[in-house]
């Protein structure tokens, strides 16, 4: 991505990030680079114990973001107690977010009864249905659909080919990555003699502010009431959130995780990739669920769970270690049996 | 979702559902609500032993659907031996299914050689290719693509951004949730010295009647012959059905399950979320496959399988219990060893 | 799929595939069929020990592709040391690849500053942004989006509803199945007191030549630098490749596998379905990762790994076998304990 073509110096950046300069405060910083691909004019993050060395023919970066001066390095530094935060602030300052051009494309289809703010940007091949409200500064990219009686909050960005069905409320400053589906029907059938009778899914989806949802993730509407995603929840790609799920504030859910119907995740939970959660369970606040964990019961607050079925992480590690020792355990058992048998023969 | 603004009374609803009224048969019912969010005018499902209590300031519902009168409750009742069925029938009666407006949008692209019934509804930005037949009452929402020589049966609804490639047959009264892909190429390559040579995937996909397919689910065409989904199969979101898979009638497949090439699932199977199935295996009718099960061999009819690798569920539970006891087992083994060693030293 | 309506005889096909004819070299071959659904005029692959028998009323195929003449079969044969390769070559010769009609649809939106070759075919409802280069012979199907400053190499085919975001480079002769998303933001946030601060994802995606990507698969851009998919990589449906992943040449990744951030997969690796890979690990070249394996550490070259956590496959099998014997192991332990206890009492 091009940067803003804005030039700041190291002192400006340190002030912005709340850090200190060690070295030339006037060095110009025009971008952010990695230690692997350093570029002149850029600042790079060097976490503690990072390998800092440039190959032959490689540029040096113009400055580093560090928590303390690395041995043998005399580059100008932005010193910050939380270097990753300073790095994030530098990226946010130096690089623009991709934007749609202003206005509503004549190739978009907006229903006359939709309430679309004058500042909204809408790309071609996108359709907005009746009764839907689209707030100030919203950007809706090509190929999207927003169904009836939905609401998109101020500043939210909806990337290409996203589907938001009817009766969905999305808060402010959210980001929907491409291919997201919100408000698909929950998976509900009543068995009858003639087969599966579909249970109409008449509930809603309510999504808070500052929520980001990853590419091709699906969020089903509730059977009754609402599927609820609270403020500042971050969801990765290809995640499944079923009907009536509730996710608490600040929770992060990594790719391909799956939450079955009525699962409740409380605030500040971290869920790693491909984890799965059985119908109706609750995960207490502050818990950490490891990748591929299969959670089949309620989880108390501040737990750390892993494995299938998910257990307390320390217990899971102990069990894995003992599984690895099963051949040895069997050997030892057989030795004892032999010894006892020998004794029997002897005696 | 708005309801039909149709007003029925409890007696009408009981008649429709095949249940009995206990209490005022004339009470008006305008919608369905949950016990958590009761609303005046609505009827709520109360399964056996459900907690029935309204908070301060909450409405009471106007009636309940139950199997028998709950203690301490004097609301009018719809009593039914299968309350969930009565609840489903009430929902289906009181709430309309979302519908497209009539007609074919001038912003849709329909090939002259497509055979589209006069009653079909097609939204903007959808394309139908040559040789494809679209039956009476079909609704195709925005952003869809239907390839050549395919067929969409009467009454089927295709929600936004669905892709149906060429040579795909879809039966009657199916529902395709947003983002579904049907007829993508199967994953087949022949290794050569120069790399992976693609095996053309020239087969079809055949989908029966009353099939529902969840958001962003993918169904590959067959290499030769056909991938076949029988009548009344219900598939959740983000499911993968590979080339030449066959799924039998009434089977339900929950989210993120994955069926590898040539897997055969017989009738009336229930597959829970994130389960996986190895190439070419068969799962016998009436079986239940637990969430995250990894099925690596044929499964006899009426089995219940869980775990990775999937085992008979009772055996899997026994093994999990013994895994939890591995620390204890090792302790006991060590005690015996120590005792024998002591004896040896003593003797 | 219709075939080319081209007629070859068995001798032509054998010459093309580098095999020998055994039987009538002049028999006409107009298509390829399976042994399950044989058709007159078609050639079928019969792998060693395949069951070759036609039901009543079934056609016989006109020839078989085999490694040696099967007992009791007198059909004309194409004999080849690698029959699957000959089968693939026959399919590729006899069946056309689906093609868009020539030209750029007036219903597509191409930015004036996009560099689109005169031979490119673009369907309706597709949008190409400024600064993007689309090479000769590229086909982009309906409902696609290609963002700014991206590049699509010669001969690449992009099926419907694919999203390619900005700063993505795709090589020559690639195939993107429907619903693919490339260049979505990596999942990166810096925790702050106020919540999750998004780390701008300013890196690119670089995809080599001859790469195929399955339906609804997602590939995130890098935080810095690039997510890199090398030549001849084949990726199945619903796969997640996170930011800064690198995948080496000829590697195949089956459906629903998930590679976390910074995972490196070397050349010629085979990854089966639903496998998962923890952040930053490396899988050595030539390795085979089994279905549902959970890889949590670096894997040496030419390894075969399975299970959760992934272990050397032989070790994993041994552990599974011993898990199955846990009830027996506990029994034997208890017998010893009882015996020792009895002895104690006796003595």
């Amino acid at each position: 991505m091009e940067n803003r073509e804005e030039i700041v110096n190291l002192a400006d950046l340190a002030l912005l990030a709340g850090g200190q300069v060690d070295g030339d405060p006037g060095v110009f910083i025009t971008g952010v680079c990695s230690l692997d691909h350093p570029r002149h004019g850029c600042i790079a993050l060097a976490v503690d114990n990072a390998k800092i060395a440039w190959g032959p023919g490689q540029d040096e970066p113009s400055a580093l973001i560090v928590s303390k001066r690395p041995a043998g390095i005399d580059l100008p530094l932005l010193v910050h107690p939380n270097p990753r935060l300073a790095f994030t602030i530098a990226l946010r300052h130096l690089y623009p977010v991709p934007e749609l051009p202003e206005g509503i494309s004549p190739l978009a289809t907006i229903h006359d009864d939709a309430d679309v703010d004058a500042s909204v940007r809408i790309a071609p091949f996108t359709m907005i249905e009746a009764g839907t409200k689209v707030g100030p500064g919203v950007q809706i990219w090509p190929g999207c659909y927003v169904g009836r009686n939905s609401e998109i909050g101020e500043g939210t960005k909806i990337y290409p080919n996203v589907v938001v069905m009817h009766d969905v409320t999305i808060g402010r400053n959210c980001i929907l990555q491409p291919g997201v589906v919100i408000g698909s029907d929950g998976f509900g059938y009543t068995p009858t003699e003639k087969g599966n009778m579909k249970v109409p899914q008449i509930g809603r989806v309510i999504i808070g502010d500052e929520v980001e949802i990853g590419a091709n993730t699906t969020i089903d509407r509730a059977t009754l009431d609402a599927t609820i995603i609270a403020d500042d929840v971050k969801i990765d790609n290809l995640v499944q959130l079923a009907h009536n799920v509730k996710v608490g504030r600040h929770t992060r859910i990594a790719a391909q995780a799956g939450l079955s119907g009525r699962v409740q995740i409380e605030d500040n939970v971290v869920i790693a990739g491909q984890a799965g959660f059985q119908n109706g369970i609750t995960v207490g606040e502050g818990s950490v669920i490891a990748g591929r964990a299969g959670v089949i019961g309620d989880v108390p607050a501040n737990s750390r769970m892993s494995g299938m079925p998910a257990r307390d992480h320390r217990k899971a590690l102990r069990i894995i270690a003992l599984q690895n020792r099963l051949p040895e355990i069997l050997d030892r058992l057989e030795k004892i049996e032999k010894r006892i048998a020998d004794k029997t023969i002897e005696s």
Side-chain angles (χ1 to χ4, degrees), chain A:
Chain A
M1 190 189 294
E2 328 109 279
N3 64 19
R4 286 185 198 278
E5 307 200 358
E6 184 177 355
I7 297 179
V8 296
N9 64 31
L10 188 56
D12 299 334
L13 215 52
L15 191 66
L16 192 72
Q20 305 296 324
V21 173
D22 179 355
D24 176 5
V27 61
F28 291 127
I29 304 296
T30 60
V32 178
C33 62
S34 70
L35 290 177
D36 289 339
H37 296 93
R39 291 197 313 275
H40 186 73
C42 289
I43 192 166
L45 172 66
V47 294
D48 291 354
N49 303 316
K51 184 171 157 275
I52 304 174
W54 329 119
Q58 272 194 321
D59 277 355
E60 282 196 359
S62 292
L64 296 179
I65 299 171
V66 296
S67 67
K68 58 174 192 288
R69 181 167 289 277
I73 297 295
D74 58 4
L75 287 171
L77 301 179
L78 192 171
V79 182
H80 195 286
N82 183 348
R84 194 168 294 276
L85 177 60
F87 164 78
T88 304
I89 290 169
L91 277 167
R92 293 167 70 99
H93 185 68
L94 289 166
Y95 292 85
V97 175
E99 306 265 19
L100 281 186
E102 291 193 4
I104 293 179
S105 166
L107 295 173
T109 295
I110 317 292
H111 197 284
D112 288 345
D113 294 337
D115 173 6
V116 176
D117 187 88
S119 62
V120 168
R121 302 174 183 196
I122 300 182
F125 317 131
T126 277
M127 184 172 182
I128 314 283
E129 295 273 26
T132 282
K133 186 175 177 184
V134 184
V138 168
Q139 296 185 15
I140 308 183
W141 293 48
C144 295
Y145 173 81
V146 184
R148 279 179 299 148
N149 302 322
S150 287
E151 184 171 347
I152 314 291
E154 181 174 349
T156 284
K157 300 179 77 170
I158 300 185
Y159 284 132
N161 286 5
V162 166
V163 175
V164 176
M165 295 297 284
H166 56 277
D167 295 314
V168 172
T169 300
I170 297 177
R172 295 188 296 180
N173 300 319
C174 294
I175 300 172
L176 276 56
Q177 296 287 337
V180 163
V181 174
I182 302 181
S184 39
D185 280 350
F187 192 65
Y189 305 91
T190 297
T192 73
E193 282 181 15
K194 290 183 180 168
N196 300 303
M197 183 184 287
K198 180 175 173 71
V199 180
Q201 303 289 306
I202 66 163
R204 310 171 54 81
V205 180
I206 300 172
I207 293 177
D209 299 336
E210 309 281 345
V211 171
E212 184 161 0
I213 303 175
N216 285 349
T217 279
T218 57
I219 304 181
D220 284 346
R221 68 181 54 251
T223 309
L224 305 175
D225 306 328
T227 301
I228 298 176
I229 314 296
D231 294 348
D232 193 36
V233 168
K234 307 297 183 182
I235 303 170
D236 201 352
N237 300 350
L238 293 170
V239 170
Q240 153 73 351
L241 304 186
H243 67 90
N244 296 85
V245 156
K246 290 183 176 49
V247 180
R249 293 190 310 153
H250 312 306
T251 283
R252 297 195 301 274
I253 304 177
Q256 295 177 319
L259 280 61
S260 304
R262 294 171 292 108
V263 165
Q264 296 196 36
I265 308 289
E266 297 185 350
D267 294 354
N268 290 301
V269 172
V270 175
I271 296 173
Q274 297 185 333
F277 297 81
Q278 202 162 63
N279 286 334
I281 66 164
T282 296
V283 175
E285 60 174 321
S287 292
V288 176
I289 310 298
R292 302 183 70 78
V295 183
I296 60 173
D298 290 346
V299 173
N302 301 307
S303 300
R304 193 169 170 206
M305 305 287 286
S306 68
M308 175 62 207
R311 301 168 169 111
D312 171 81
H313 184 57
R314 284 193 200 175
K315 182 165 186 189
L317 288 181
R318 175 106 175 100
I319 288 173
I320 289 167
L322 287 170
Q323 285 174 342
N324 287 333
R325 290 175 64 187
L326 275 171
E328 172 209 325
I329 288 172
L330 184 61
D331 277 355
R332 287 161 69 175
L333 186 65
E334 285 174 348
K335 265 190 202 134
I336 295 170
E337 287 174 333
K338 186 160 185 306
R339 176 145 182 179
I340 291 177
D342 290 348
K343 282 226 164 178
T344 309
I345 293 163
E346 281 165 27
S347 63

